[in-house]
Amino acid sequence: MSDTQLTVTLSGGDVDDARAVVGALEGTFGPPQERPSDTDATVRMATFGGEGEGTGDGQADVRPLSEPVTVTVQGTPEAVRRASDALSRAFPARDEGAAAGDQEQERQLVLES
């Protein structure tokens, strides 16, 4: 597993909020392999692969969220740390805890509007 493989699950907010969160991660991880869809889903997902690195520090033009969004990031410990850092720089964030496995970690954040 690459150090940049990451799965992001989002709940709350609308598809534009989900796209804003994913956009905040693109500066760190590059473009996602899978983007949130524009359906009326209540849970959306994005996947970042291990092929490309982002070109910046995740400080893209990020718009404010319309409401709080719960984000779960799952991947290698390094990828989860980098994602948590990028999201905390882009949005007011509250850490809701983490779970660690042998080779993967999961962290949940609530991003405030």
Side-chain angles (χ1 to χ4, degrees):
M1 180 181 288
S2 168
D3 283 346
T4 59
Q5 190 169 0
L6 184 76
T7 301
V8 181
T9 306
L10 307 108
S11 61
D14 58 21
V15 71
D16 290 331
D17 292 330
R19 289 177 179 156
V21 171
V22 170
L25 293 170
E26 286 185 18
T28 300
F29 294 97
Q33 293 174 333
E34 180 182 342
R35 293 183 184 272
S37 68
D38 59 352
T39 63
D40 292 326
T42 57
V43 176
R44 295 176 174 86
M45 178 183 247
T47 305
F48 293 87
E51 296 303 314
E53 291 286 326
T55 57
D57 63 0
Q59 292 293 331
D61 264 346
V62 177
R63 70 167 191 80
L65 302 174
S66 66
E67 63 183 86
V69 175
T70 300
V71 178
T72 303
V73 291
Q74 181 180 16
T76 64
E78 176 64 13
V80 169
R81 181 195 61 76
R82 290 173 58 208
S84 297
D85 290 349
L87 292 173
S88 294
R89 283 191 306 268
F91 304 99
R94 185 174 70 240
D95 189 340
E96 294 289 305
D102 288 344
Q103 297 177 2
E104 277 195 343
Q105 188 175 42
E106 180 177 293
R107 177 167 303 281
Q108 188 172 66
L109 301 167
V110 175
L111 306 179
E112 301 293 338
S113 52

